[in-house]
């Protein structure tokens, strides 16, 4: 069985988020490498089974992981309202067959059902784990995003048969053109620039930091899900998270006091004490 090529940047040591230590193949229970191998003997991912992991929507939620959502209105690699109650973070590689399966079969439906009504925000994290071509595609996606064509590049790179053509520099440029990137000279300069390398390395470090060892890996409001699971797994997790956010909002509203009333009560208490 082939193994992922060692990344040219970053370490694979898990990080500590608050009091939560997230380790590879531990509490996240990420999918096996076999489920994400880019050169699997089966190139037809439309009928391939989802990664063999448990992704029960009732499994643990880790508040420290929920804080990894950036909610940056200027994020070129995100879709959906920055204040959406649910944020799905996806860590993925363009050479990963199962990432492509999710991108083609599940993500468009999630966008239609939950992003468009303001419930969900999707934030992409580049997590290239299969060597130089993965890195090329990741930087290319970032560079396309600088010209507001990330999602178009994403669709082109994950189209059926795209990964089999590889992600050499010329191929990545062709994908950018297909995605409608207007300034290809700027795109190629951005592709090899330090900003692209730093952005990809930052995403990569975050993925390694939470213990991710395979792609795709997801966080939904702090709930880990691994592999291209059936749509129902994501639907349940999103709806559960949305309901929890709504409940938390109501609870917060119920305990909020009017500062003016608070000041008035304090004044009355002081007046009574003086008497």
């Amino acid at each position: 069985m082939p193994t992922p090529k060692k990344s040219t940047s970053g370490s694979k040591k898990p990080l500590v988020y608050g009091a939560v230590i997230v380790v590879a193949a531990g509490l996240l229970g990420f999918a096996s490498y076999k489920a994400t191998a880019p050169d699997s003997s089966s190139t037809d991912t439309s009928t391939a089974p989802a990664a063999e992991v448990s992704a029960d929507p009732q499994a643990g939620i880790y508040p420290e992981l929920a804080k990894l959502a950036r909610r940056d209105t200027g994020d070129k690699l995100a879709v959906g309202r920055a204040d959406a109650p649910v944020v799905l973070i996806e860590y993925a590689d363009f050479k990963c067959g199962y990432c492509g399966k999710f991108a083609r079969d599940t993500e468009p439906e999630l966008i239609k059902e939950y992003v468009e009504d303001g419930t969900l925000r999707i934030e992409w994290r580049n997590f290239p784990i299969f060597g130089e071509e993965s890195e090329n595609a990741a930087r290319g996606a970032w560079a396309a995003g600088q010209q507001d064509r990330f999602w178009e590049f994403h669709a082109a790179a994950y189209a059926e048969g795209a990964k089999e053509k590889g992600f050499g520099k010329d191929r990545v440029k062709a994908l950018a053109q297909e995605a409608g990137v207007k300034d290809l000279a700027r795109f190629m300069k951005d592709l090899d620039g330090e900003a692209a390398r730093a952005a990809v390395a930052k995403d990569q470090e975050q993925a390694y930091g939470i213990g991710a060892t395979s792609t795709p890996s997801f966080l939904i409001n702090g709930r880990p899900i691994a592999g291209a699971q059936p749509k129902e797994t994501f639907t349940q997790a999103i709806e559960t998270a949305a309901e929890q956010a709504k409940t938390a909002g109501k609870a917060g509203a119920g305990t909020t006091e009017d500062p003016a009333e608070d000041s008035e009560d304090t004044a009355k208490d002081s007046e009574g004490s003086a008497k």
Side-chain angles (χ1 to χ4, degrees):
M1 179 188 298
T3 56
K5 296 179 182 178
K6 187 175 181 180
S7 170
T8 56
S9 64
S11 94
K12 298 185 180 181
K13 295 181 180 178
L15 303 181
V16 177
Y17 292 107
V20 180
I21 301 178
V22 189
V23 293
L27 66 87
L28 293 186
F30 281 116
S32 67
Y33 168 74
K34 184 177 181 181
T36 65
D39 54 354
S40 169
S41 58
S42 173
T43 57
D44 180 10
T45 58
S46 63
T47 58
E52 297 175 1
V53 298
S54 173
D56 181 359
Q58 300 306 315
I61 296 174
Y62 304 91
E64 292 300 319
L65 298 185
K67 295 176 183 178
L68 295 178
R70 293 171 185 160
R71 294 185 177 277
D72 179 359
T73 56
D75 190 343
K76 304 287 190 179
L77 279 59
V79 61
R81 291 171 44 174
D83 62 350
V86 184
V87 178
L88 181 156
I89 303 174
E90 178 185 5
Y91 301 90
D93 184 318
F94 286 103
K95 284 181 69 68
C96 162
Y98 277 89
C99 299
K101 176 179 174 60
F102 174 78
R104 292 188 300 272
D105 300 347
T106 304
E107 193 167 42
E109 293 188 26
L110 297 182
I111 289 174
K112 183 176 181 180
E113 293 179 29
Y114 299 107
V115 173
E116 292 181 3
D117 74 359
T119 299
L120 179 67
R121 174 178 176 83
I122 298 176
E123 296 186 356
W124 170 270
R125 302 286 190 270
N126 277 303
F127 187 26
I129 60 175
F130 295 117
E132 184 179 353
E133 288 201 353
S134 289
E135 296 272 353
N136 287 342
R139 296 198 310 274
W142 183 90
Q146 302 316 293
Q147 297 187 50
D148 297 315
R149 305 303 288 179
F150 167 75
W151 291 103
E152 290 79 6
F153 182 96
H154 175 278
Y158 277 139
E160 287 282 3
K163 74 182 181 69
E164 284 74 20
K165 296 178 181 179
F167 294 108
K169 292 287 182 66
D170 289 343
R171 176 61 183 153
V172 170
K173 181 179 180 180
L175 287 171
Q177 188 169 18
E178 183 181 339
V181 173
K182 292 183 178 180
D183 189 340
L184 290 177
R186 175 191 168 190
F187 172 83
M188 294 304 291
K189 183 178 179 181
D190 286 344
L191 171 68
D192 284 326
E194 286 304 313
R197 295 178 188 279
V200 170
K202 180 179 179 181
D203 287 355
Q204 200 172 45
E205 282 295 315
Q206 186 179 101
Y208 286 138
I210 64 172
T213 58
S214 63
T215 54
S217 295
F218 307 88
L219 295 176
I220 298 180
N221 279 19
R223 183 194 303 278
I225 292 178
Q229 298 295 326
K231 178 192 169 188
E232 292 71 26
T233 297
F234 294 95
T235 296
Q236 280 187 287
I238 291 166
E239 292 184 354
T240 297
E243 187 59 36
Q244 289 173 338
K246 184 187 297 183
T247 301
K250 288 179 179 178
T255 57
T256 300
E257 296 181 358
D258 186 334
E261 291 181 3
D262 219 15
S263 299
E264 186 178 342
D265 289 342
T266 301
K268 287 179 180 178
D269 289 343
S270 297
E271 184 180 348
S273 298
K275 291 179 180 178

